[in-house]
Coordinates of all heavy atoms in Angstrom, one line a residue:
N1 N -12.1 -16.5 -1.9 CA -11.4 -15.6 -2.8 C -11.1 -16.3 -4.1 O -10.8 -17.5 -4.1 CB -10.2 -15.1 -2.2 CG -10.4 -14.1 -1.1 OD1 -11.5 -13.5 -1.0 ND2 -9.5 -13.9 -0.2
G2 N -11.1 -15.6 -5.2 CA -10.8 -16.2 -6.5 C -9.5 -15.6 -7.1 O -9.1 -14.5 -6.7
T3 N -9.0 -16.3 -8.0 CA -7.8 -15.9 -8.7 C -8.0 -16.0 -10.2 O -8.5 -17.0 -10.7 CB -6.6 -16.7 -8.3 OG1 -6.4 -16.6 -6.9 CG2 -5.3 -16.3 -9.0
V4 N -7.6 -15.0 -10.9 CA -7.6 -15.0 -12.4 C -6.1 -14.9 -12.8 O -5.4 -13.9 -12.4 CB -8.4 -13.8 -13.0 CG1 -8.2 -13.8 -14.5 CG2 -9.9 -14.0 -12.6
N5 N -5.6 -15.8 -13.6 CA -4.2 -15.8 -13.9 C -4.1 -16.1 -15.4 O -4.6 -17.1 -15.9 CB -3.4 -16.8 -13.1 CG -1.9 -16.7 -13.4 OD1 -1.3 -15.7 -13.7 ND2 -1.3 -17.9 -13.5
D6 N -3.3 -15.3 -16.1 CA -3.0 -15.5 -17.6 C -4.2 -15.8 -18.4 O -4.3 -16.8 -19.1 CB -2.0 -16.7 -17.7 CG -1.4 -16.8 -19.1 OD1 -1.3 -15.8 -19.7 OD2 -1.0 -17.9 -19.5
M7 N -5.2 -14.9 -18.3 CA -6.4 -14.9 -19.1 C -6.5 -13.7 -20.0 O -5.9 -12.7 -19.8 CB -7.6 -14.9 -18.2 CG -7.7 -16.1 -17.2 SD -8.1 -17.6 -18.0 CE -9.7 -17.3 -18.7
T8 N -7.2 -13.9 -21.1 CA -7.5 -12.8 -22.1 C -9.0 -12.5 -22.1 O -9.8 -13.4 -22.3 CB -7.0 -13.1 -23.5 OG1 -5.5 -13.3 -23.4 CG2 -7.3 -11.9 -24.4
F9 N -9.3 -11.2 -21.9 CA -10.7 -10.8 -21.9 C -10.8 -9.7 -23.1 O -10.2 -8.6 -22.9 CB -11.1 -10.1 -20.6 CG -11.1 -11.1 -19.4 CD1 -9.9 -11.3 -18.8 CD2 -12.2 -11.8 -19.1 CE1 -9.9 -12.2 -17.7 CE2 -12.2 -12.6 -18.0 CZ -11.0 -12.9 -17.3
E10 N -11.4 -10.1 -24.2 CA -11.3 -9.2 -25.4 C -12.7 -9.2 -26.0 O -13.4 -10.2 -26.2 CB -10.3 -9.8 -26.3 CG -10.0 -8.9 -27.5 CD -8.8 -9.4 -28.3 OE1 -8.3 -10.6 -28.1 OE2 -8.4 -8.7 -29.2
N11 N -13.1 -7.9 -26.4 CA -14.3 -7.7 -27.1 C -15.5 -8.1 -26.3 O -16.5 -8.6 -26.9 CB -14.3 -8.3 -28.5 CG -13.2 -7.7 -29.4 OD1 -13.1 -6.5 -29.4 ND2 -12.5 -8.5 -30.1
N12 N -15.5 -7.9 -25.0 CA -16.7 -8.1 -24.2 C -17.2 -6.7 -23.8 O -16.4 -5.8 -23.7 CB -16.4 -8.9 -22.9 CG -15.8 -10.3 -23.3 OD1 -16.5 -11.1 -23.8 ND2 -14.6 -10.5 -23.0
F13 N -18.4 -6.5 -23.5 CA -18.9 -5.2 -23.0 C -18.1 -4.8 -21.8 O -17.6 -3.7 -21.7 CB -20.4 -5.2 -22.7 CG -20.9 -3.9 -22.4 CD1 -21.0 -2.9 -23.4 CD2 -21.4 -3.6 -21.1 CE1 -21.5 -1.6 -23.1 CE2 -21.9 -2.3 -20.8 CZ -21.9 -1.3 -21.8
I14 N -18.0 -5.7 -20.8 CA -17.2 -5.5 -19.6 C -16.3 -6.8 -19.6 O -16.7 -7.9 -19.5 CB -18.0 -5.5 -18.3 CG1 -18.9 -4.2 -18.3 CG2 -17.1 -5.5 -17.1 CD1 -19.8 -4.1 -17.1
G15 N -15.0 -6.5 -19.6 CA -14.0 -7.7 -19.6 C -14.2 -8.5 -18.3 O -14.5 -9.7 -18.4
L16 N -14.0 -7.9 -17.2 CA -14.1 -8.7 -15.9 C -14.8 -7.8 -14.9 O -14.3 -6.6 -14.6 CB -12.7 -9.1 -15.4 CG -12.6 -9.8 -14.1 CD1 -13.3 -11.2 -14.2 CD2 -11.2 -10.0 -13.6
H17 N -15.9 -8.3 -14.3 CA -16.6 -7.5 -13.3 C -16.3 -8.1 -11.9 O -16.7 -9.3 -11.7 CB -18.1 -7.6 -13.6 CG -18.9 -6.7 -12.7 ND1 -20.3 -6.5 -13.0 CD2 -18.7 -5.9 -11.6 CE1 -20.8 -5.6 -12.1 NE2 -19.8 -5.3 -11.3
I18 N -15.6 -7.4 -11.0 CA -15.2 -7.9 -9.8 C -16.2 -7.5 -8.7 O -16.4 -6.4 -8.4 CB -13.8 -7.4 -9.4 CG1 -12.8 -7.9 -10.5 CG2 -13.3 -7.9 -8.0 CD1 -11.4 -7.4 -10.4
L19 N -16.8 -8.5 -8.1 CA -17.9 -8.4 -7.1 C -17.5 -8.5 -5.7 O -18.2 -8.1 -4.8 CB -19.0 -9.3 -7.5 CG -19.6 -9.3 -8.9 CD1 -20.6 -10.4 -9.1 CD2 -20.3 -7.9 -9.1
K20 N -16.4 -9.2 -5.4 CA -16.0 -9.6 -4.1 C -14.6 -9.1 -3.8 O -13.7 -9.2 -4.6 CB -16.0 -11.1 -4.0 CG -15.8 -11.6 -2.6 CD -16.0 -13.1 -2.7 CE -15.7 -13.8 -1.3 NZ -15.7 -15.2 -1.4
D21 N -14.4 -8.5 -2.6 CA -13.1 -8.0 -2.2 C -12.0 -9.2 -2.1 O -12.4 -10.3 -1.8 CB -13.2 -7.4 -0.8 CG -12.2 -6.3 -0.5 OD1 -11.7 -5.7 -1.5 OD2 -12.0 -6.0 0.6
G22 N -10.8 -8.8 -2.4 CA -9.7 -9.8 -2.2 C -9.4 -10.6 -3.4 O -8.5 -11.5 -3.4
Q23 N -10.1 -10.4 -4.5 CA -9.8 -11.2 -5.7 C -8.4 -10.8 -6.3 O -8.0 -9.7 -6.1 CB -10.8 -10.9 -6.8 CG -12.3 -11.1 -6.4 CD -12.6 -12.5 -6.0 OE1 -12.4 -13.4 -6.8 NE2 -13.0 -12.7 -4.8
E24 N -7.7 -11.7 -6.8 CA -6.4 -11.5 -7.4 C -6.4 -11.7 -8.9 O -6.8 -12.8 -9.3 CB -5.3 -12.4 -6.7 CG -3.9 -12.1 -7.1 CD -2.9 -12.8 -6.3 OE1 -2.8 -12.6 -5.1 OE2 -2.2 -13.7 -7.0
V25 N -5.9 -10.8 -9.6 CA -5.8 -10.9 -11.1 C -4.4 -10.6 -11.5 O -3.8 -9.5 -11.2 CB -6.8 -9.8 -11.7 CG1 -6.7 -10.0 -13.3 CG2 -8.2 -9.9 -11.2
T26 N -3.7 -11.6 -12.1 CA -2.3 -11.5 -12.5 C -2.1 -11.9 -14.0 O -2.8 -12.8 -14.5 CB -1.5 -12.4 -11.6 OG1 -1.9 -13.7 -11.7 CG2 -1.5 -11.9 -10.2
D27 N -1.1 -11.3 -14.6 CA -0.6 -11.6 -15.9 C -1.8 -11.8 -16.9 O -1.7 -12.7 -17.8 CB 0.2 -12.9 -15.8 CG 1.4 -12.8 -14.9 OD1 2.1 -11.7 -15.0 OD2 1.6 -13.7 -14.0
S28 N -2.8 -11.0 -16.9 CA -3.9 -11.1 -17.8 C -4.0 -9.9 -18.7 O -3.4 -8.9 -18.5 CB -5.2 -11.3 -17.0 OG -5.2 -12.5 -16.3
R29 N -4.8 -10.0 -19.8 CA -5.0 -9.0 -20.8 C -6.4 -8.6 -20.9 O -7.3 -9.5 -21.0 CB -4.4 -9.5 -22.1 CG -2.9 -9.7 -22.0 CD -2.4 -10.8 -22.9 NE -3.0 -12.1 -22.7 CZ -2.7 -13.0 -21.7 NH1 -1.9 -12.6 -20.7 NH2 -3.3 -14.1 -21.6
F30 N -6.7 -7.3 -20.9 CA -8.0 -6.8 -21.1 C -8.0 -5.8 -22.3 O -7.5 -4.7 -22.2 CB -8.5 -6.0 -19.8 CG -8.4 -7.0 -18.6 CD1 -7.3 -7.1 -17.8 CD2 -9.6 -7.7 -18.2 CE1 -7.2 -8.0 -16.8 CE2 -9.5 -8.5 -17.1 CZ -8.4 -8.7 -16.4
L31 N -8.5 -6.3 -23.4 CA -8.3 -5.6 -24.7 C -9.6 -5.3 -25.4 O -10.4 -6.2 -25.6 CB -7.4 -6.5 -25.6 CG -6.1 -7.1 -25.0 CD1 -5.5 -8.1 -25.9 CD2 -5.2 -5.9 -24.7
D32 N -9.7 -4.1 -25.8 CA -10.8 -3.7 -26.7 C -12.2 -4.1 -26.2 O -13.1 -4.5 -27.0 CB -10.6 -4.2 -28.1 CG -9.3 -3.7 -28.6 OD1 -9.0 -2.5 -28.5 OD2 -8.5 -4.5 -29.2
N33 N -12.5 -4.0 -24.9 CA -13.8 -4.2 -24.4 C -14.5 -2.9 -24.4 O -14.1 -1.9 -23.9 CB -13.7 -4.7 -22.9 CG -13.0 -6.0 -22.9 OD1 -13.5 -7.1 -23.3 ND2 -11.8 -6.1 -22.3
P34 N -15.7 -2.8 -25.2 CA -16.3 -1.5 -25.4 C -16.6 -0.6 -24.2 O -16.4 0.6 -24.3 CB -17.6 -1.9 -26.1 CG -17.3 -3.2 -26.8 CD -16.4 -3.9 -25.8
Y35 N -17.0 -1.1 -23.1 CA -17.2 -0.3 -21.9 C -16.0 -0.2 -21.0 O -15.5 0.8 -20.8 CB -18.5 -0.7 -21.2 CG -18.8 0.2 -20.0 CD1 -19.2 1.5 -20.3 CD2 -18.7 -0.2 -18.7 CE1 -19.4 2.4 -19.2 CE2 -19.0 0.6 -17.7 CZ -19.3 1.9 -17.9 OH -19.6 2.8 -16.9
C36 N -15.6 -1.3 -20.5 CA -14.4 -1.3 -19.6 C -13.7 -2.7 -19.5 O -14.4 -3.7 -19.7 CB -14.8 -0.8 -18.2 SG -15.9 -1.8 -17.3
G37 N -12.5 -2.6 -19.3 CA -11.7 -3.8 -19.2 C -12.0 -4.5 -17.8 O -12.2 -5.7 -17.8
V38 N -11.8 -3.8 -16.7 CA -12.1 -4.3 -15.4 C -13.0 -3.3 -14.7 O -12.8 -2.1 -14.7 CB -10.8 -4.5 -14.6 CG1 -11.1 -4.9 -13.2 CG2 -9.9 -5.4 -15.3
K39 N -14.1 -3.8 -14.1 CA -15.0 -3.0 -13.3 C -15.1 -3.5 -11.9 O -15.2 -4.7 -11.7 CB -16.4 -3.0 -13.9 CG -17.4 -2.2 -13.1 CD -18.8 -2.3 -13.7 CE -19.7 -1.4 -12.8 NZ -21.1 -1.7 -13.0
E40 N -14.9 -2.7 -10.9 CA -15.0 -3.1 -9.5 C -16.3 -2.5 -8.9 O -16.8 -1.5 -9.3 CB -13.8 -2.6 -8.7 CG -13.7 -1.1 -8.5 CD -12.5 -0.7 -7.7 OE1 -11.4 -1.3 -7.8 OE2 -12.7 0.3 -6.9
E41 N -16.9 -3.2 -8.0 CA -18.0 -2.7 -7.2 C -17.6 -1.8 -6.1 O -16.4 -1.8 -5.7 CB -18.8 -3.9 -6.6 CG -19.6 -4.7 -7.6 CD -20.7 -3.8 -8.3 OE1 -21.5 -3.3 -7.5 OE2 -20.7 -3.7 -9.5
P42 N -18.5 -0.9 -5.6 CA -18.1 0.0 -4.5 C -17.6 -0.8 -3.3 O -18.1 -1.8 -2.9 CB -19.4 0.7 -4.2 CG -20.3 0.6 -5.4 CD -19.9 -0.7 -6.1
G43 N -16.5 -0.3 -2.8 CA -15.8 -0.9 -1.6 C -15.0 -2.2 -1.9 O -14.4 -2.7 -1.0
V44 N -15.0 -2.6 -3.1 CA -14.3 -3.8 -3.5 C -12.9 -3.4 -4.1 O -12.9 -2.6 -5.0 CB -15.1 -4.7 -4.6 CG1 -14.3 -5.8 -5.1 CG2 -16.4 -5.2 -3.9
I45 N -11.9 -4.0 -3.6 CA -10.5 -3.6 -4.0 C -9.8 -4.9 -4.4 O -9.4 -5.7 -3.5 CB -9.8 -2.8 -3.0 CG1 -10.5 -1.5 -2.7 CG2 -8.3 -2.6 -3.5 CD1 -9.9 -0.7 -1.6
P46 N -9.6 -5.2 -5.7 CA -8.9 -6.4 -6.1 C -7.4 -6.2 -6.0 O -6.9 -5.0 -6.0 CB -9.4 -6.7 -7.5 CG -9.6 -5.3 -8.0 CD -10.2 -4.5 -6.8
V47 N -6.6 -7.2 -6.0 CA -5.2 -7.2 -6.2 C -4.9 -7.4 -7.7 O -5.3 -8.4 -8.2 CB -4.5 -8.2 -5.3 CG1 -3.0 -8.2 -5.6 CG2 -4.7 -8.0 -3.9
M48 N -4.3 -6.4 -8.3 CA -4.0 -6.5 -9.7 C -2.5 -6.4 -9.9 O -1.9 -5.4 -9.5 CB -4.7 -5.3 -10.5 CG -6.2 -5.2 -10.3 SD -7.1 -6.2 -11.3 CE -6.7 -5.6 -12.9
I49 N -1.9 -7.4 -10.6 CA -0.5 -7.5 -10.8 C -0.1 -7.9 -12.2 O -0.6 -8.9 -12.7 CB 0.2 -8.5 -9.8 CG1 -0.1 -8.1 -8.3 CG2 1.7 -8.6 -10.0 CD1 0.3 -9.2 -7.3
N50 N 0.6 -7.0 -12.9 CA 1.2 -7.3 -14.2 C 0.1 -7.6 -15.2 O 0.2 -8.6 -15.9 CB 2.2 -8.4 -14.1 CG 3.1 -8.5 -15.3 OD1 3.5 -7.4 -15.8 ND2 3.4 -9.6 -15.8
N51 N -0.9 -6.7 -15.3 CA -1.9 -6.9 -16.3 C -1.8 -5.8 -17.4 O -1.4 -4.7 -17.1 CB -3.3 -6.8 -15.6 CG -3.5 -7.9 -14.6 OD1 -3.6 -9.0 -15.0 ND2 -3.5 -7.5 -13.3
L52 N -2.3 -6.1 -18.6 CA -2.3 -5.2 -19.7 C -3.8 -4.8 -19.9 O -4.7 -5.6 -20.1 CB -1.8 -5.8 -20.9 CG -1.9 -5.0 -22.2 CD1 -1.1 -3.7 -22.1 CD2 -1.4 -5.8 -23.4
L53 N -4.1 -3.5 -19.8 CA -5.5 -3.0 -20.0 C -5.4 -1.9 -21.0 O -4.8 -0.8 -20.8 CB -6.0 -2.4 -18.7 CG -6.1 -3.3 -17.5 CD1 -4.9 -3.2 -16.6 CD2 -7.3 -3.1 -16.7
E54 N -6.0 -2.2 -22.2 CA -6.0 -1.1 -23.2 C -7.1 -1.3 -24.2 O -7.7 -2.4 -24.4 CB -4.6 -1.2 -24.0 CG -4.4 -2.4 -24.8 CD -3.0 -2.4 -25.5 OE1 -2.1 -1.7 -25.1 OE2 -2.9 -3.0 -26.5
G55 N -7.5 -0.2 -24.8 CA -8.5 -0.2 -25.9 C -9.9 -0.1 -25.5 O -10.8 -0.2 -26.3
S56 N -10.2 0.1 -24.2 CA -11.6 0.2 -23.7 C -11.9 1.6 -23.4 O -11.0 2.5 -23.1 CB -11.8 -0.7 -22.5 OG -11.4 -2.0 -22.7
K57 N -13.2 2.0 -23.4 CA -13.6 3.3 -23.0 C -13.1 3.6 -21.6 O -12.5 4.7 -21.4 CB -15.2 3.4 -23.0 CG -15.7 4.8 -22.6 CD -17.2 4.8 -22.6 CE -17.6 6.2 -22.2 NZ -19.1 6.3 -22.2
F58 N -13.2 2.7 -20.7 CA -12.6 2.8 -19.4 C -11.7 1.5 -19.2 O -12.3 0.5 -19.1 CB -13.6 2.9 -18.2 CG -14.5 4.0 -18.3 CD1 -15.8 3.9 -18.8 CD2 -14.1 5.3 -17.8 CE1 -16.7 4.9 -18.8 CE2 -15.0 6.4 -17.8 CZ -16.3 6.2 -18.3
N59 N -10.4 1.7 -19.2 CA -9.6 0.5 -19.0 C -9.8 -0.2 -17.7 O -9.9 -1.4 -17.5 CB -8.2 0.8 -19.3 CG -7.9 1.0 -20.8 OD1 -8.4 0.2 -21.6 ND2 -7.2 2.0 -21.1
Y60 N -10.0 0.7 -16.6 CA -10.3 0.3 -15.3 C -11.4 1.2 -14.8 O -11.2 2.4 -14.8 CB -9.1 0.3 -14.4 CG -9.3 -0.4 -13.1 CD1 -9.0 -1.7 -12.9 CD2 -9.9 0.2 -12.0 CE1 -9.2 -2.4 -11.7 CE2 -10.2 -0.4 -10.8 CZ -9.8 -1.7 -10.7 OH -10.1 -2.4 -9.5
F61 N -12.5 0.6 -14.3 CA -13.6 1.5 -13.8 C -13.9 1.2 -12.3 O -14.1 0.1 -11.9 CB -14.9 1.2 -14.6 CG -16.0 2.1 -14.2 CD1 -16.1 3.4 -14.6 CD2 -17.0 1.7 -13.3 CE1 -17.1 4.3 -14.3 CE2 -18.0 2.5 -12.9 CZ -18.1 3.8 -13.4
S62 N -13.8 2.3 -11.6 CA -14.2 2.3 -10.1 C -15.3 3.2 -10.0 O -15.2 4.4 -10.2 CB -13.0 2.8 -9.3 OG -13.4 2.9 -8.0
P63 N -16.5 2.8 -9.5 CA -17.7 3.7 -9.4 C -17.4 4.8 -8.4 O -18.1 5.8 -8.5 CB -18.8 2.7 -9.0 CG -18.1 1.5 -8.4 CD -16.8 1.4 -9.1
E64 N -16.5 4.6 -7.5 CA -16.2 5.6 -6.5 C -15.3 6.7 -7.1 O -15.2 7.8 -6.5 CB -15.6 5.0 -5.3 CG -16.6 4.1 -4.6 CD -15.9 3.1 -3.6 OE1 -14.7 3.0 -3.5 OE2 -16.7 2.6 -2.8
R65 N -14.6 6.4 -8.2 CA -13.7 7.4 -8.8 C -13.7 7.1 -10.3 O -12.8 6.4 -10.9 CB -12.3 7.1 -8.3 CG -11.9 8.2 -7.3 CD -10.4 7.9 -6.9 NE -9.7 9.1 -7.3 CZ -8.5 9.3 -6.9 NH1 -7.9 8.5 -6.0 NH2 -7.8 10.4 -7.3
P66 N -14.6 7.7 -11.1 CA -14.7 7.4 -12.5 C -13.5 7.8 -13.3 O -13.2 7.2 -14.4 CB -15.9 8.2 -13.0 CG -16.7 8.4 -11.7 CD -15.7 8.5 -10.6
E67 N -12.7 8.7 -12.8 CA -11.5 9.1 -13.5 C -10.3 8.2 -13.2 O -9.1 8.6 -13.5 CB -11.2 10.6 -13.3 CG -10.6 10.9 -11.9 CD -11.6 10.9 -10.7 OE1 -12.8 10.6 -11.0 OE2 -11.2 11.1 -9.6
F68 N -10.5 7.1 -12.6 CA -9.4 6.2 -12.1 C -8.5 5.8 -13.3 O -8.9 5.5 -14.4 CB -10.1 4.9 -11.6 CG -9.3 4.2 -10.6 CD1 -9.3 4.6 -9.3 CD2 -8.5 3.1 -10.9 CE1 -8.6 3.9 -8.3 CE2 -7.7 2.5 -10.0 CZ -7.8 2.9 -8.6
T69 N -7.2 5.9 -13.0 CA -6.2 5.6 -14.1 C -5.4 4.4 -13.7 O -5.4 3.9 -12.5 CB -5.3 6.8 -14.2 OG1 -4.5 6.9 -13.0 CG2 -6.0 8.1 -14.6
I70 N -4.7 3.9 -14.6 CA -3.8 2.7 -14.4 C -2.7 3.1 -13.4 O -2.3 2.4 -12.5 CB -3.1 2.2 -15.7 CG1 -4.2 1.8 -16.7 CG2 -2.1 1.1 -15.4 CD1 -5.1 0.7 -16.2
E71 N -2.3 4.4 -13.4 CA -1.3 4.9 -12.5 C -1.8 4.8 -11.0 O -1.1 4.4 -10.1 CB -0.8 6.3 -12.8 CG 0.0 6.4 -14.1 CD -0.9 6.3 -15.4 OE1 -2.1 6.5 -15.4 OE2 -0.3 6.1 -16.4
L72 N -3.1 5.2 -10.9 CA -3.7 5.1 -9.5 C -3.9 3.7 -9.1 O -3.7 3.4 -7.9 CB -5.1 5.9 -9.5 CG -5.0 7.4 -9.6 CD1 -6.4 7.9 -9.8 CD2 -4.4 8.0 -8.4
L73 N -4.2 2.8 -10.0 CA -4.4 1.4 -9.7 C -3.1 0.9 -9.2 O -3.1 0.1 -8.2 CB -4.8 0.7 -11.0 CG -4.9 -0.9 -10.9 CD1 -6.0 -1.2 -10.0 CD2 -5.1 -1.5 -12.3
N74 N -2.0 1.2 -9.8 CA -0.6 0.7 -9.3 C -0.2 1.3 -8.0 O 0.6 0.7 -7.3 CB 0.4 1.0 -10.4 CG 0.3 0.1 -11.5 OD1 0.0 -1.1 -11.4 ND2 0.6 0.6 -12.7
L75 N -0.8 2.4 -7.5 CA -0.5 3.0 -6.2 C -1.2 2.2 -5.1 O -0.9 2.4 -3.9 CB -0.9 4.4 -6.2 CG 0.0 5.4 -7.0 CD1 -0.6 6.8 -7.0 CD2 1.4 5.3 -6.6
R76 N -2.2 1.4 -5.4 CA -2.9 0.7 -4.3 C -2.0 -0.4 -3.7 O -1.2 -1.0 -4.5 CB -4.2 0.0 -4.9 CG -5.3 0.9 -5.1 CD -6.5 0.1 -5.6 NE -7.7 0.8 -5.6 CZ -8.8 0.4 -6.1 NH1 -8.9 -0.8 -6.7 NH2 -9.9 1.1 -6.0
T77 N -2.1 -0.6 -2.5 CA -1.3 -1.6 -1.8 C -1.4 -3.0 -2.5 O -2.5 -3.5 -2.7 CB -1.7 -1.8 -0.3 OG1 -1.5 -0.5 0.3 CG2 -0.8 -2.8 0.4
G78 N -0.3 -3.6 -2.8 CA -0.3 -4.9 -3.4 C -0.3 -4.9 -4.9 O -0.1 -6.0 -5.6
N79 N -0.7 -3.8 -5.5 CA -0.8 -3.7 -7.0 C 0.5 -3.2 -7.6 O 1.2 -2.3 -7.0 CB -1.9 -2.8 -7.4 CG -3.3 -3.3 -7.0 OD1 -3.4 -4.4 -6.5 ND2 -4.3 -2.5 -7.3
E80 N 0.8 -3.8 -8.7 CA 2.1 -3.3 -9.4 C 2.1 -3.8 -10.9 O 1.4 -4.7 -11.2 CB 3.3 -3.9 -8.7 CG 3.4 -5.4 -8.6 CD 4.5 -5.9 -7.8 OE1 5.4 -5.2 -7.5 OE2 4.5 -7.1 -7.4
R81 N 2.9 -3.1 -11.6 CA 3.3 -3.5 -13.0 C 2.1 -3.6 -13.9 O 2.1 -4.3 -15.0 CB 4.1 -4.7 -13.1 CG 5.4 -4.6 -12.3 CD 6.3 -5.9 -12.5 NE 5.7 -7.1 -12.5 CZ 5.5 -7.9 -11.4 NH1 5.8 -7.4 -10.2 NH2 4.9 -9.1 -11.5
N82 N 1.0 -2.9 -13.6 CA -0.2 -2.9 -14.6 C 0.1 -1.8 -15.6 O 0.7 -0.8 -15.3 CB -1.5 -2.6 -13.8 CG -1.8 -3.7 -12.8 OD1 -2.1 -4.8 -13.3 ND2 -1.7 -3.4 -11.6
R83 N -0.3 -2.1 -16.8 CA 0.0 -1.1 -17.9 C -1.2 -1.1 -18.8 O -2.0 -2.0 -18.9 CB 1.3 -1.4 -18.6 CG 1.3 -2.8 -19.2 CD 2.7 -3.3 -19.3 NE 2.7 -4.6 -20.0 CZ 2.3 -5.7 -19.5 NH1 1.8 -5.8 -18.3 NH2 2.3 -6.8 -20.3

C-alpha cells in the first residue's frame, strides 16, 4: 500500500491515477488538472482525507459512477473532510 501526503498535483492531464486498493491520500491538493484531479480504477477504493480538489473537468473520477461528487467521496468509509 502507498501513501500520498501533503502533495500538490497541478496542471496535469490526470492529477493522480490510483491503480491499487487501499492507497491513502491525505492533506493534498489537486488543482486545475484538465481531465481529472483523482482517477480510480474499477473496484479500487482509496482512503481520501482532507484533500482539496478543484478546477478539473472531473475533480474525482470513478469509472463505475461518472457523476461521482466530493460529497459522495466523503460518504465512503474512512474518507472525510475532502473539499
Side-chain angles (χ1 to χ4, degrees):
N1 289 341
T3 301
V4 173
N5 182 40
D6 193 25
M7 299 288 296
T8 299
F9 298 85
E10 188 171 8
N11 294 316
N12 300 292
F13 186 68
I14 296 172
L16 180 63
H17 189 171
I18 299 176
L19 303 171
K20 187 176 173 187
D21 209 22
Q23 306 297 302
E24 185 173 297
V25 182
T26 58
D27 302 314
S28 295
R29 293 146 307 282
F30 301 88
L31 308 169
D32 302 316
N33 297 290
Y35 184 65
C36 63
V38 177
K39 179 183 180 197
E40 67 179 39
E41 284 298 302
V44 172
I45 299 177
V47 175
M48 304 279 296
I49 301 172
N50 198 39
N51 298 291
L52 175 62
L53 299 98
E54 65 179 29
S56 302
K57 180 177 179 180
F58 300 100
N59 287 315
Y60 191 93
F61 183 79
S62 172
E64 295 165 346
R65 257 185 118 163
E67 74 284 359
F68 207 83
T69 64
I70 300 303
E71 291 77 17
L72 290 172
L73 177 65
N74 284 326
L75 291 175
R76 283 183 168 170
T77 301
N79 292 357
E80 61 185 343
R81 299 187 320 272
N82 296 293
R83 60 208 186 283

